[in-house]
């Protein structure tokens, strides 16, 4: 094999591909990112070939040393990637073979089809664990902010209309719950990524007695009991990318949750709400309007959701029409996967950093939370306790609200006679309902935003986040 001949073209082809074809079809410009995993997979494969007697100990050593040297050069930025060699796999193998004769035996019993599936799984396994760690830190940042402002009450909203009072902490913990499910999804997704496809060959395994279990164990494709996890169908192993789709899907949900959190922060940072300030480190100014302090990081996080959703749709569409087994279309999975993983990682980290730079403006919050209309539901509950059917109670309180609007005074400034003019079940003690402290003490059931319950949930999350990674 001449140095210039791409590995897969030796023999069968008389000429090099047209330059435009090579440029169109190369993937090394993006799949070079798999280099570390490609090296690891090749080293494990070489060890296995030695174990089953297809290469000698000396050849194994030469291959592993050669791969290590290449790895060092790549890490130092000294390796010259050649687009004419198409992808990361052929670049590394061709360079190895140029340096080490035994390199020509490395591809024994292996195809780039099972090799690329392996590299992707190795890469994504690592990334998945990284994202789970970052999600934990994001949850921690939310809990920290909640703890710092654990006495602050804000209106909870439905339809973006003030609805009922909640602790600011309760609002933060809602996101902690969302990110917890995202975390679970990634762990679940990891189980299916963590399956070794090597040994599936191009599509039909190999006639050679490859020791698949040995390779899987070397590369850590094992379950919690240490048993090797091997793909059980060679065609499935080289052609499906559902593990990529699952990750992109889990990533899309994370992006969606981040986007909602961003939206809340953006609204709250505006003068109309004024609930929070984001410090200079995480805001930008306007080139024209000197007074502006813009929540760009939250906006970009919200904006990047689009590409993460798009990536999911891309990989789903990529797979849907593919006949079995490997088709070159599959090369298109990488940029989408990389983009989702990079974007999710970056946005989770930026959000975590930003939450450390959010301060809550208690005055604005308590002014908004002090709106007596937020207690309307409590008034209905009061009547229910007096034996009124809820629908009737709801109706009476509705009339009370209409009366307060008509008289131009807030609910809590209506006289007891005015209350009783609508429903005789109202007693003078009804006015105590408007005391926000008591209102929050009343919300004591599991999951409610009451004082004791929010305290309990905060303690629960502190415990969970301390013990879990
Ligand atoms: N660059 C290819 C990919 O990303 C690697 C596998 C190529 N296999 C092949 N039969 N051409 O999918």
């Amino acid at each position: 094999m001449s140095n210039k001949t791409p590995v897969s073209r030796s023999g069968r082809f008389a000429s090099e591909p047209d330059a435009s074809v090579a440029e169109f079809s190369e993937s090394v410009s993006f799949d070079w990112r798999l280099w570390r995993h490609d090296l690891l997979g090749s080293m494990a494969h070489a060890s296995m070939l030695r174990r089953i007697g297809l290469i000698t100990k000396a050849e194994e050593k030469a291959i592993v040393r050669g791969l290590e040297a290449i790895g060092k050069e790549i890490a130092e930025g000294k390796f010259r990637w050649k687009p004419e060699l198409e992808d990361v796999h052929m670049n590394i193998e061709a360079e190895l073979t140029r340096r080490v004769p035994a390199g020509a035996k490395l591809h024994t019993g292996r195809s780039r089809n099972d090799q690329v599936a392996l590299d992707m799984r190795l890469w994504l396994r690592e990334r998945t664990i990284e994202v789970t760690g970052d999600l934990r830190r994001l949850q921690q940042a939310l809990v920290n902010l909640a703890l710092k402002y654990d006495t602050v009450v804000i209106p909870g909203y439905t339809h973006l209309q003030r609805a009922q009072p909640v602790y600011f902490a309760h609002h933060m913990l809602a996101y902690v719950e969302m990110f917890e499910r995202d975390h679970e999804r990634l762990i679940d997704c990891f189980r299916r990524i963590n399956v070794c496809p090597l040994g599936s060959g191009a599509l039909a395994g190999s006639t050679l007695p490859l020791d698949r279990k040995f390779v899987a164990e070397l590369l850590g494709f094992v379950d919690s009991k240490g048993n090797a996890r091997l793909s059980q169908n060679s065609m499935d192993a080289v052609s499906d990318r559902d593990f990529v789709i699952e990750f992109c899907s889990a990533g899309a949900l994370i992006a969606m949750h981040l986007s909602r959190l961003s939206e809340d922060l953006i609204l709250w940072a505006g003068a109309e709400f004024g609930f929070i300030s984001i410090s200079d480190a995480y805001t930008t100014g306007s080139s024209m309007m000197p007074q502006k302090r813009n929540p760009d990081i939250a906006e970009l996080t919200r904006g990047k959701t689009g590409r993460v959703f798009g990536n999911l749709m891309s990989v789903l569409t990529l797979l849907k029409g593919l006949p079995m087994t490997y088709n070159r279309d599959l090369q298109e999975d990488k940029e989408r996967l990389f983009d989702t993983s990079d974007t999710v990682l970056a946005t989770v980290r930026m959000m975590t950093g930003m939450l450390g730079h959010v301060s809550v403006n208690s005055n604005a919050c308590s002014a908004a939370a002090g709106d007596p209309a937020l207690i309307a539901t409590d008034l209905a509950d009061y009547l229910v306790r007096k034996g009124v059917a809820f629908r009737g109670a709801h109706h009476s309180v509705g009339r009370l609200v209409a009366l307060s609007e008509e008289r131009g005074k807030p609910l809590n400034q209506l006289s007891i006679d005015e209350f009783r003019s609508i429903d005789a079940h109202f007693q003078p003690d009804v006015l105590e309902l408007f005391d926000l402290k008591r209102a929050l003490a009343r919300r004591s059931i599991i999951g409610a935003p009451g004082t004791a319950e929010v305290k309990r949930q905060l303690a629960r999350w502190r415990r969970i986040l301390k013990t879990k990674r």
Side-chain angles (χ1 to χ4, degrees), residues 72-127:
K72 192 162 173 285
E73 283 168 33
I74 300 174
E76 288 167 356
K78 292 181 187 147
F79 189 81
R80 211 168 66 75
W81 298 103
K82 299 178 182 157
E84 64 275 19
L85 289 177
E86 200 179 304
D87 54 25
V88 61
H89 325 291
M90 294 220 290
N91 265 271
I92 289 175
E93 193 193 333
E95 184 54 23
L96 176 73
T97 308
R98 198 181 65 77
R99 299 177 185 192
V100 180
K105 292 191 177 179
L106 176 61
H107 216 47
T108 308
R110 186 175 75 168
S111 157
R112 270 185 300 151
N113 296 353
D114 57 351
Q115 187 179 357
V116 70
L118 172 72
D119 293 3
M120 296 275 284
R121 285 174 181 273
L122 284 170
W123 187 89
L124 192 53
R125 218 170 53 170
E126 231 172 76
R127 250 310 151 93

Side-chain angles (χ1 to χ4, degrees), residues 64-232:
V64 171
R65 290 233 171 109
L67 291 172
E68 279 170 355
I70 290 174
K72 192 162 173 285
E73 283 168 33
I74 300 174
E76 288 167 356
K78 292 181 187 147
F79 189 81
R80 211 168 66 75
W81 298 103
K82 299 178 182 157
E84 64 275 19
L85 289 177
E86 200 179 304
D87 54 25
V88 61
H89 325 291
M90 294 220 290
N91 265 271
I92 289 175
E93 193 193 333
E95 184 54 23
L96 176 73
T97 308
R98 198 181 65 77
R99 299 177 185 192
V100 180
K105 292 191 177 179
L106 176 61
H107 216 47
T108 308
R110 186 175 75 168
S111 157
R112 270 185 300 151
N113 296 353
D114 57 351
Q115 187 179 357
V116 70
L118 172 72
D119 293 3
M120 296 275 284
R121 285 174 181 273
L122 284 170
W123 187 89
L124 192 53
R125 218 170 53 170
E126 231 172 76
R127 250 310 151 93
T128 304
I129 291 173
E130 220 175 325
V131 180
T132 59
D134 283 318
L135 278 179
R136 280 277 174 259
R137 283 181 279 280
L138 173 58
Q139 288 177 304
Q140 189 67 61
L142 287 159
V143 169
N144 288 347
L145 193 61
L147 284 167
K148 190 166 170 193
Y149 296 102
D150 62 352
T151 58
V152 172
V153 180
I154 56 172
Y157 293 79
T158 63
H159 312 271
L160 211 49
Q161 307 285 315
R162 284 180 189 169
Q164 296 188 65
V166 296
Y167 278 101
F168 174 79
H170 192 61
H171 197 122
M172 290 298 107
L173 290 185
Y175 285 107
V176 175
E177 297 283 347
M178 295 178 219
F179 292 123
E180 181 66 13
R181 290 191 295 277
D182 291 334
H183 188 273
E184 281 171 18
R185 267 185 282 274
L186 287 176
I187 300 284
D188 190 51
C189 179
F190 181 90
R191 282 198 312 119
R192 282 178 292 277
I193 299 168
N194 193 30
V195 175
C196 188
L198 207 67
S200 302
L203 80 160
S206 174
T207 57
L208 299 167
L210 307 179
D211 188 342
R212 296 193 58 205
K213 221 168 134 255
F214 178 77
V215 174
E217 283 166 1
L218 268 186
L219 294 172
F221 286 104
V222 290
D223 62 19
S224 55
K225 295 192 189 94
N227 297 319
R229 301 196 68 213
L230 301 173
S231 59
Q232 299 292 315

Side-chain angles (χ1 to χ4, degrees), residues 25 27 30-31 86-87 89 111-113 116 241 326-328 330-334:
S25 56
S27 56
F30 49 87
D31 68 15
E86 200 179 304
D87 54 25
H89 325 291
S111 157
R112 270 185 300 151
N113 296 353
V116 70
R241 292 290 184 273
Y326 179 85
N327 299 269
R328 190 63 181 277
L330 289 173
Q331 183 170 295
E332 288 288 310
D333 60 355
K334 278 161 215 68

Side-chain angles (χ1 to χ4, degrees), residues 278-328:
I278 305 171
S279 78
D280 292 353
Y282 282 82
T283 49
T284 57
S286 154
S287 57
M288 185 170 179
M289 301 165 284
Q291 85 282 14
K292 290 296 286 294
R293 198 201 230 179
N294 299 325
D296 293 33
I297 299 308
E299 290 171 306
L300 280 168
T301 299
R302 186 178 59 186
K304 284 178 190 291
T305 311
R307 60 200 284 166
V308 178
F309 287 6
N311 292 336
L312 171 61
M313 201 42 65
S314 282
V315 285
L316 277 169
T317 311
L318 174 64
L319 268 291
K320 78 169 271 290
L322 293 189
M324 291 283 263
T325 52
Y326 179 85
N327 299 269
R328 190 63 181 277

